[in-house]
Amino acid sequence: MAEDLAESRARISAAPHRRISPRLANGRKLFITVHRTIGLFLGAIYVLIGISGSILAFGQSIDEALNASIMRVEAPGVAAAYRPLDEILAAAKAAAPPGSMPERLKMPRHAGLAVAITILVPTDDLDMDSIELFVDPYKAEITGQRLLLHQDDVFAQPFINIVRDFHWTLLLGPQRAYLLGIVAILMSFSLLIGVYLWWPRNGNWRHALTIKWNATPERLTYDVHKTLGLYLGFLLIVSLATGIAMIYKPQTRAIVGQFSVLRPEAQNQRSTAIAGQRPLGLDAAAAIADKVFPDGRLHWVLLPGGSEGVYVIGKQAEDEPNQASTNRNVTIDQFSGNILHVQDRRNFTAGETFLEWLYPLHCGEAFGNIGRALVLMIGIVPLLLYVTGFLRWRQKRRLSRCGRP
């Protein structure tokens, strides 16, 4: 430690003499206090959010591995074809509890997965449970089911859904997600303060940009903390900023709308019943969507809920940044087959494209497995920053008790 102190004194004496005003020194002390306070108290929450984000980076694969017995199927071969959608849906309806209503059908993302069909099930207390039935697309046979949500019991969900709810709302419910947004805003502010405190006032950039691995534990802790924050700070800011933008979606749309046209989202689309005519089948509705989007794969189908309900059919393109969802959707009247609305990402304005990229950037899926791996790594960084920052705080606290600066 004495060698570090001697080196620091030599470096200071060799650097150009710069007199720091008392006002600037006091401002720096204030920034240190703010940075330390936010880090110690809110940093612990940020650590948990980061770890949950790392899990969610490969959330789909983890979910499939944990539920392989019901979600995975054996693909017959390269040329094997799926059974008709109506047949797949009929198998789910037959296995569903009496009085239930199918809500959504999600197609497999690869050949070894089952079709997932969400079913709404009425309960004795006039509420709704949500279950998920899995159907082998090659045989139209049920492979299993699981409970998605039981009323307000967040822990009744599958593991990945619990992690996702924690990551977005701290399990406090969507109406309190703004609290997590506040944490993210303050952590962003703390990161920016950290960059300011790191900035080498004496112009010694080599010292500021490197870690002295053979230094004392105190010096090494400080170097690791500042270097991690510097080199990965931009990625952390992007992760925080995209998360904040999605939590405060109405405010984000209002800001983006000042710079680009944002068309209102389609709402209140309804089917018109035709006397003596039965609703279209699922395969017929999908064929209509295929005429609008001949390319891409069928991603999901939102099923009509009641006589006024509509089909919403999503065809995912290969070049879409969002792989968990799609922005190519066709809304279809279930009786006439008329197209009521088309959402086509190829016609997005600059502002709409910006909003489309928020989630794929946040979770890394915009860049495939490389992006997900990067997000997994970024999610661990808050833990490393918190541990090194906490150790540094304890070291300085111990020195101050000994009467040393």
Side-chain angles (χ1 to χ4, degrees):
M1 192 167 183
E3 294 177 0
D4 286 341
L5 183 59
E7 180 184 341
S8 299
R9 288 174 176 171
R11 186 170 58 253
I12 293 172
S13 62
H17 180 68
R18 294 180 181 178
R19 186 174 182 180
I20 302 176
S21 67
R23 182 177 179 181
L24 184 60
N26 290 333
R28 184 176 178 82
K29 289 180 180 178
L30 175 62
F31 279 136
I32 291 174
T33 301
V34 172
H35 181 70
R36 180 174 60 234
T37 303
I38 293 176
L40 286 175
F41 291 98
L42 297 184
I45 298 176
Y46 188 33
V47 168
L48 297 176
I49 296 302
I51 293 173
S52 63
S54 292
I55 295 173
L56 292 174
F58 290 93
Q60 291 186 90
S61 299
I62 294 173
D63 193 29
E64 292 159 14
L66 293 176
N67 300 278
S69 62
I70 60 175
M71 295 180 69
R72 290 182 176 170
V73 299
E74 184 177 350
V78 178
Y82 290 164
R83 300 299 302 167
L85 295 175
D86 288 317
E87 191 175 332
I88 291 172
L89 182 58
K93 287 181 176 180
S100 60
M101 180 176 65
E103 179 190 35
R104 177 192 303 248
L105 180 147
K106 187 173 182 181
M107 297 300 290
R109 65 189 185 99
H110 59 74
L113 282 182
V115 175
I117 301 176
T118 306
I119 306 286
L120 298 179
V121 182
T123 61
D124 294 337
D125 53 0
L126 302 180
D127 207 333
M128 284 283 187
D129 282 350
S130 181
I131 65 173
E132 197 168 28
L133 287 169
F134 297 95
V135 184
D136 187 324
Y138 305 102
K139 302 176 182 178
E141 296 176 355
I142 299 295
T143 60
Q145 72 175 57
R146 64 177 178 178
L147 179 66
L148 274 185
L149 186 62
H150 173 62
Q151 299 179 9
D152 295 328
D153 184 5
V154 295
F155 293 104
Q157 303 178 92
F159 169 73
I160 285 298
N161 293 39
I162 295 173
V163 174
R164 184 178 296 111
D165 274 6
F166 177 83
H167 186 74
W168 287 108
T169 70
L170 297 177
L171 300 182
L172 298 175
Q175 69 278 9
R176 295 186 180 88
Y178 71 91
L179 294 174
L180 182 58
I182 293 173
V183 172
I185 291 171
L186 291 174
M187 289 308 305
S188 300
F189 184 53
S190 180
L191 282 171
L192 294 175
I193 290 177
V195 173
Y196 166 78
L197 295 174
W198 159 86
W199 197 270
R201 290 172 295 165
N202 60 4
N204 193 335
W205 291 93
R206 185 185 66 82
H207 168 69
L209 294 170
T210 57
I211 297 175
K212 189 176 181 181
W213 295 104
N214 60 347
T216 61
E218 291 81 3
R219 168 66 182 278
L220 181 60
T221 299
Y222 170 72
D223 276 2
V224 170
H225 183 78
K226 70 175 178 61
T227 307
L228 271 176
L230 172 66
Y231 288 139
L232 298 176
F234 173 75
L235 296 177
L236 290 172
I237 288 292
V238 170
S239 177
L240 286 166
T242 52
I244 293 168
M246 288 185 287
I247 288 174
Y248 297 109
K249 183 178 178 180
Q251 293 82 356
T252 301
R253 286 185 62 89
I255 294 172
V256 174
Q258 299 299 314
F259 304 94
S260 176
V261 174
L262 294 180
R263 287 163 289 192
E265 298 178 353
Q267 295 180 348
N268 300 322
Q269 301 289 344
R270 298 179 181 179
S271 294
T272 302
I274 301 176
Q277 182 166 330
R278 295 174 58 85
L280 292 174
L282 190 49
D283 288 289
I288 295 172
D290 287 340
K291 293 179 181 179
V292 179
F293 297 119
D295 61 323
R297 74 174 188 90
L298 180 63
H299 180 74
W300 63 16
V301 180
L302 299 182
L303 301 166
S307 60
E308 293 186 345
V310 296
Y311 284 110
V312 180
I313 299 179
K315 294 287 296 292
Q316 189 178 66
E318 292 184 1
D319 61 347
E320 283 196 68
N322 195 334
Q323 295 300 305
S325 182
T326 179
N327 284 295
R328 302 202 316 164
N329 298 293
V330 184
T331 304
I332 301 169
D333 185 305
Q334 64 168 309
F335 294 100
S336 67
N338 291 335
I339 295 174
L340 305 178
H341 182 262
V342 174
Q343 181 190 43
D344 188 352
R345 62 182 300 272
R346 293 173 298 185
N347 299 326
F348 276 4
T349 65
E352 290 166 343
T353 299
F354 172 82
L355 296 176
E356 178 193 22
W357 275 81
L358 288 177
Y359 177 77
L361 283 176
H362 186 79
C363 68
E365 68 180 28
F367 306 105
N369 286 332
I370 294 177
R372 293 186 180 94
L374 185 60
V375 168
L376 187 151
M377 180 190 69
I378 294 172
I380 300 173
V381 172
L383 173 62
L384 300 176
L385 288 176
Y386 187 81
V387 170
T388 53
F390 180 78
L391 291 175
R392 181 61 179 161
W393 169 73
R394 287 194 61 186
Q395 292 164 359
K396 296 187 72 173
R397 186 178 176 85
R398 185 169 59 249
L399 290 175
S400 64
R401 287 177 177 176
C402 297
R404 298 172 62 183

